[in-house]
Amino acid sequence: MLGIVRQKMLEQSLKKIRPAVSVLRSYSSAAKQMTVREALNSALDEEMSADSKVFLMGEEVGEYQGAYKITKGLLDKYGPERVLDTPITEAGFTGIAVGAAYYGVKPVVEFMTFNFSMQAIDHIINSAAKTNYMSSGRISVPIVFRGPNGAAAGVGAQHSQCYAAWYASCPGLKVLAPYSSEDARGLLKAGIRDPDPVVFLENELLYGESFPVSDEVLDSSFCLPIGKAKIERKGKDVTIAAYSKMVGYALKAAETLEKDGIDAEVINLRSIRPLDRSTINASVRKTNRLVTVEEAFPQHGVGAEICASIVEESFAYLDAPVERIAGADVPMPYAANLERMAVPQVEDIVRAAKRTCYRSVS
């Protein structure tokens, strides 16, 4: 009898202790913060240190330390032979970089914005993406094209376009779009190590955002698999699939939906090509509803491709029509009030999710 009493007292004591331990663990894991800018910079630094074939080139990547300071400190550490400032000629330096990749070195090309990659698209598509196939596998093209993609703030139509769907439609390219610091570090390392050309789409507005990172993420060997999405938030009522900055919006929408009794699952795509269709379909087969979110144009977009995949593989599981949230089908306005109307907002995602759940939308 005394033993039973002692056991019950011990169990009651553990119940009081366990919440405190749980809080301590969550605090410990969240204590280490890293900005997306720092994550990208550290990934470049570590890969350059590990492999002498990796080098950087682009406008202002050296002396100015990058237009967004992603390459800060790398010129001083590795010298001008591995951190190359180029003239303002995207077609020129991209062609040089692709040619260098043919010979086995690993260029990382920075575009000040992916809008400027249009000047170099012939080299990206015809020279980089197709060469491995056209050479019967004899020539690999280990190159990364990186830089800010999509809308920033007040920079007008010619500096605000999202090119995820453009590049993801081309066989031979791998297209990655990080959201968090973990994504940025792990995916950039994966891209640099990959034998194929990688288009790495960052978001200017995320550079200064801080995210918690674990010791595993900070390890120099850390790398994320290309082609694998991450379930950022588990849920059972509706799936929200997004990439880049829109993942943050989707998570905020999920918090709002929770107050109305809707449990949303949020998928961070991470990889646009290859697309993790299995994770998306598995989620929809569980929740029976889908909302896709992107800030690009709606026609022929990433969301449209996801919808096609669901219709082809999981149509019988749907309890409601798929909802697509995308940017307005217009060039980006310069005026701030019109710009806000042209890109998806958290409330747009909330309304779409409620429609799929047949809830009243205010």
Side-chain angles (χ1 to χ4, degrees), residues 22-279:
S22 177
V23 170
L24 182 62
R25 282 178 179 167
S26 63
Y27 175 79
S28 176
S29 63
K32 295 177 181 176
Q33 296 282 324
M34 175 179 272
T35 65
V36 172
R37 178 182 289 108
E38 291 167 341
L40 294 169
N41 178 267
S42 63
L44 290 171
D45 185 9
E46 289 170 11
E47 292 306 301
M48 291 180 75
S49 177
D51 189 344
S52 61
K53 292 181 179 179
V54 179
F55 73 94
L56 315 180
M57 65 189 307
E59 297 157 3
E60 299 184 344
V61 298
E63 294 289 346
Y64 192 67
Q65 305 193 74
Y68 302 97
K69 300 299 180 274
I70 304 300
T71 54
K72 184 178 180 180
L74 299 182
L75 175 63
D76 292 339
K77 186 170 183 178
Y78 297 103
E81 291 187 354
R82 295 184 65 194
V83 182
L84 285 73
D85 278 321
T86 67
I88 304 175
T89 169
E90 283 78 12
F93 66 73
T94 303
I96 292 170
V98 173
Y102 285 177
Y103 281 87
V105 292
K106 300 178 179 180
V108 178
V109 175
E110 176 177 309
F111 295 119
M112 202 173 289
T113 162
F114 256 93
N115 296 268
F116 299 159
S117 74
M118 293 296 93
Q119 302 293 323
I121 197 166
D122 179 54
H123 290 302
I124 298 170
I125 302 297
N126 284 325
S127 300
K130 299 176 182 178
T131 294
N132 185 261
Y133 174 80
M134 294 178 71
S135 68
S136 298
R138 287 176 293 178
I139 301 176
S140 294
V141 191
I143 187 170
V144 174
F145 306 100
R146 55 154 296 272
N149 169 71
V155 292
Q158 293 174 322
H159 298 76
S160 300
Q161 191 164 329
C162 174
Y163 289 93
W166 282 52
Y167 287 118
S169 68
C170 181
L173 291 178
K174 293 175 180 176
V175 182
L176 308 177
Y179 160 61
S180 65
S181 300
E182 176 181 320
D183 294 352
R185 244 180 91 76
L187 292 176
L188 184 53
K189 282 173 166 285
I192 294 172
R193 297 174 191 179
D194 199 89
D196 297 315
V198 172
V199 173
F200 196 83
L201 303 173
E202 301 155 13
N203 186 284
E204 179 184 336
L205 299 179
L206 287 176
Y207 284 149
E209 291 284 327
S210 291
F211 293 88
V213 290
S214 65
D215 291 335
E216 179 190 2
V217 173
L218 294 172
D219 191 278
S220 61
S221 64
F222 177 71
C223 188
L224 288 172
I226 292 174
K228 184 64 180 173
K230 178 186 180 184
I231 297 178
E232 295 281 353
R233 184 186 194 277
K234 291 186 177 182
K236 65 181 190 308
D237 295 329
V238 59
T239 297
I240 305 175
Y243 63 92
S244 190
K245 186 169 179 281
M246 291 296 107
V247 176
Y249 282 27
L251 290 169
K252 290 179 182 176
E255 292 177 4
T256 301
L257 290 165
E258 188 176 28
K259 297 173 184 176
D260 292 327
I262 298 174
D263 188 15
E265 180 152 293
V266 177
I267 297 178
N268 172 6
L269 295 178
R270 283 182 167 172
S271 178
I272 310 301
R273 185 184 183 105
L275 186 65
D276 188 357
R277 300 170 192 273
S278 60
T279 293

Side-chain angles (χ1 to χ4, degrees), residues 318-340:
L318 289 173
D319 287 343
V322 175
E323 291 276 347
R324 279 195 301 151
I325 303 297
D329 201 19
V330 297
M332 180 64 72
Y334 178 73
N337 58 331
L338 297 178
E339 182 183 66
R340 189 181 189 282

